[in-house]
Amino acid sequence: MTTQEIWQLQAIETPRVSATYMRHRIRDLARRTQLRNGVEYAIGVLGALFIAWHSWSLFLHFPLFVAGLTLTLLALVYVTFRWHRLASAAQIPEDAGVLDSMSFYRRELERQRDARRGNWRWWLPPVVPGLIMVLTSFVLELNPIPWALVAFEGIVIVGGLALGVAFYEWSATRLQKEIDALDSLVVKDPAG
C-alpha cells in the first residue's frame, strides 16, 4: 500500500465534527443541566415550604422536632445555593469554532462530572444533624415512643440518602463515558 493510499484511508476513517454539531451538543447539555437543576430547585422549594408549614404548626408542642426541621431547612438552603454555584449551565459564545466548541464542551462535561462525583462529602454533613434531631425528637417528645415510626423514618432517611449518593455517582460515571467518547475523536500523534 502506498503512502497516498494510507493517507486517503485515514481521511475516510477520521470522524468529522462540525461547529454546528458541537453547539447542538453544548445546548443539549445546557438544557439537560437546566432541567435537572430546575427539578432539584422545585423539590427544594417544596421541601422548604413543607418544613416551614410543619414548623409553624408544631412549634409549641414539639420544640426539638421544630429545631430539627429548622436545621434541615437551613441545610437545604445551603445545599441548593452551593449546587447552583457548582453545577449551573454555562453558555458558549456563538462565534466559537469547532476546536473551541469541543474544548468548551469537554470542560463543561468535566465540571458537571466533578460537581456530582463525591458531592455527598459536602452536602451530607449539613443535612445529618437536622435529621438526627428529628429522629431524636420522636424518642424524647412523643409518649409512647413510636418505635415503628422511628425505624421507618430511619430506613427512609438512610435509603433516600444512599439513593441520592448512588444517583450522583452513576451520573458522574455517565458523564465520564461522554468525556471518553469525546476524547476518542481527537487523533493522537503516534510520535508524541
Side-chain angles (χ1 to χ4, degrees):
M1 190 176 277
T2 67
T3 305
Q4 181 179 4
E5 290 171 335
I6 293 172
W7 177 79
Q8 288 175 336
L9 182 63
Q10 289 176 345
I12 292 171
E13 292 176 355
T14 303
R16 302 285 185 206
V17 177
S18 69
T20 304
Y21 174 74
M22 287 312 303
R23 280 193 288 276
H24 165 73
R25 294 299 302 155
I26 291 166
R27 281 192 299 272
D28 183 56
L29 178 63
R31 182 188 56 78
R32 287 182 291 156
T33 300
Q34 290 168 345
L35 180 63
R36 185 208 62 246
N37 285 352
V39 167
E40 290 180 2
Y41 299 153
I43 290 170
V45 167
L46 290 174
L49 291 174
F50 178 77
I51 289 170
W53 177 71
H54 266 299
S55 295
W56 183 259
S57 64
L58 299 173
F59 181 71
L60 294 175
H61 305 290
F62 305 107
L64 192 59
F65 183 71
V66 171
L69 290 178
T70 303
L71 282 175
T72 304
L73 176 63
L74 293 174
L76 184 64
V77 169
Y78 165 75
V79 167
T80 301
F81 279 106
R82 181 146 184 205
W83 181 254
H84 178 71
R85 187 176 54 81
L86 289 173
S88 59
Q91 300 299 320
I92 186 171
E94 287 298 320
D95 60 345
V98 175
L99 293 178
D100 289 338
S101 296
M102 285 179 74
S103 176
F104 177 85
Y105 184 55
R106 189 178 195 292
R107 282 192 316 270
E108 274 302 295
L109 287 171
E110 288 174 342
R111 193 170 69 85
Q112 294 296 325
R113 177 204 60 203
D114 293 344
R116 287 163 180 72
R117 185 171 286 156
N119 69 1
W120 62 270
R121 291 181 184 99
W122 62 263
W123 64 256
L124 191 58
V127 169
V128 168
L131 297 175
I132 289 173
M133 192 171 284
V134 166
L135 289 175
T136 303
S137 75
F138 290 160
V139 174
L140 297 178
E141 294 180 332
L142 298 177
N143 192 11
I145 298 172
W147 291 110
L149 178 62
V150 172
F152 176 74
E153 288 294 325
I155 290 169
V156 167
I157 289 169
V158 170
L161 294 175
L163 283 175
V165 169
F167 173 76
Y168 281 119
E169 291 299 323
W170 170 80
S171 183
T173 302
R174 186 180 54 80
L175 288 166
Q176 182 59 50
K177 287 179 183 177
E178 199 167 346
I179 292 168
D180 294 342
L182 188 62
D183 287 347
S184 73
L185 295 176
V186 178
V187 177
K188 305 286 190 246
D189 182 15

